[in-house]
Amino acid sequence: TELAASVALYLLVADGEEGAEVYAAATKRDQARIVHDAAKQMARRSPELRRFVREFRNALVVEAIGAKFEPLSSDSGTLDGLNPHAAILDELHAHKDRHVRDVLLTGMGARRQPLEWIITTAGVYDPTSIGWEQHEYARSVLEGIFADENYYAFIAAADEGDDWENPETWAKANPNLGVSVRHEYLEELADRARRSPS
């Protein structure tokens, strides 16, 4: 979340894109606000950013270049007419359909160097969901099944056959283990799973 928020701020302020529109999108506005609020905190704490970025309830604005960063959600009525320079889609696995992503992607056509950033947990396997579709696309790129020079993918997951009880496996699926995910917390969950496999 913090990495995506810092990239969003860079794209808002320093990417040289006149009238940049940056969006954090999710199924609910509260979820979309997580990345947006992290960016707000960063802007508040930076004397340099405070010189350029004005904070409103649902937007960060750079008036000098007509740029804005807003949270969006699939429950916010119409999303048509957007011209995103960047779209950060949060928890894509929770999106019930592809509407939000498609609107944001098709709106990027006029931008010189648009960026789509997807952050998500795996969710539940559903071969018909947009989240699983992107998971499989990312896996195909990573495994070299096909090349896509404009698509960078990172999947943190245990390998098939890994022992779920082994702490080394936990680290594969939790790259922030010991930073934002406590080792003791995963030990607790593993103990519960041993006692209650369901």
Side-chain angles (χ1 to χ4, degrees), residues 147-166:
D148 184 341
E149 295 299 319
N150 293 310
Y151 192 94
Y152 172 80
F154 173 76
I155 298 174
D159 294 317
E160 194 170 326
D162 281 352
D163 178 6
W164 67 269
E165 295 185 76
N166 185 338

Side-chain angles (χ1 to χ4, degrees), residues 89-116:
L89 285 97
D90 197 4
E91 298 298 358
L92 189 66
H93 77 279
H95 289 239
K96 298 201 183 331
D97 58 41
R98 57 182 316 109
H99 176 71
V100 173
R101 181 170 188 253
D102 287 352
V103 167
L104 291 168
L105 273 181
T106 57
M108 291 179 171
R111 294 295 182 173
R112 292 177 297 120
Q113 52 183 11
L115 175 71
E116 176 191 39

Side-chain angles (χ1 to χ4, degrees), residues 17 30 37 53 71 86 98 173:
E17 186 76 19
D30 286 347
D37 288 348
V53 179
R98 57 182 316 109

Side-chain angles (χ1 to χ4, degrees), residues 9-183:
L9 282 172
Y10 178 85
L11 296 171
L12 178 70
V13 174
D15 202 31
E17 186 76 19
E18 193 75 25
E21 294 178 22
V22 178
Y23 297 103
T27 58
K28 301 287 183 196
R29 184 174 291 251
D30 286 347
Q31 182 68 38
R33 290 186 63 83
I34 293 172
V35 171
H36 190 262
D37 288 348
K40 271 186 175 181
Q41 288 298 322
M42 291 174 190
R44 284 178 190 155
R45 291 179 177 155
S46 166
E48 187 68 18
L49 285 174
R50 283 197 313 264
R51 290 179 46 217
F52 302 104
V53 179
R54 290 195 59 207
E55 180 183 324
F56 296 91
R57 184 169 182 260
N58 288 314
L60 294 173
V61 175
V62 181
E63 291 174 340
I65 57 172
K68 65 181 180 177
F69 176 25
E70 298 177 340
L72 295 176
S73 62
S74 58
D75 64 357
S76 64
T78 183
L79 298 174
D80 297 325
L82 302 177
N83 182 17
H85 174 50
I88 299 164
L89 285 97
D90 197 4
E91 298 298 358
L92 189 66
H93 77 279
H95 289 239
K96 298 201 183 331
D97 58 41
R98 57 182 316 109
H99 176 71
V100 173
R101 181 170 188 253
D102 287 352
V103 167
L104 291 168
L105 273 181
T106 57
M108 291 179 171
R111 294 295 182 173
R112 292 177 297 120
Q113 52 183 11
L115 175 71
E116 176 191 39
W117 184 307
I118 297 171
I119 48 179
T120 189
T121 50
V124 177
Y125 170 73
D126 176 0
T128 65
S129 72
I130 182 67
W132 193 256
E133 172 192 303
Q134 286 304 298
H135 178 277
E136 289 304 285
Y137 190 90
R139 188 185 55 74
S140 295
V141 170
L142 290 170
E143 291 178 2
I145 294 170
F146 54 80
D148 184 341
E149 295 299 319
N150 293 310
Y151 192 94
Y152 172 80
F154 173 76
I155 298 174
D159 294 317
E160 194 170 326
D162 281 352
D163 178 6
W164 67 269
E165 295 185 76
N166 185 338
E168 289 178 19
T169 301
W170 305 346
K172 284 182 179 181
N174 296 277
N176 244 12
L177 185 61
V179 180
S180 64
V181 177
R182 290 182 7 265
H183 195 273

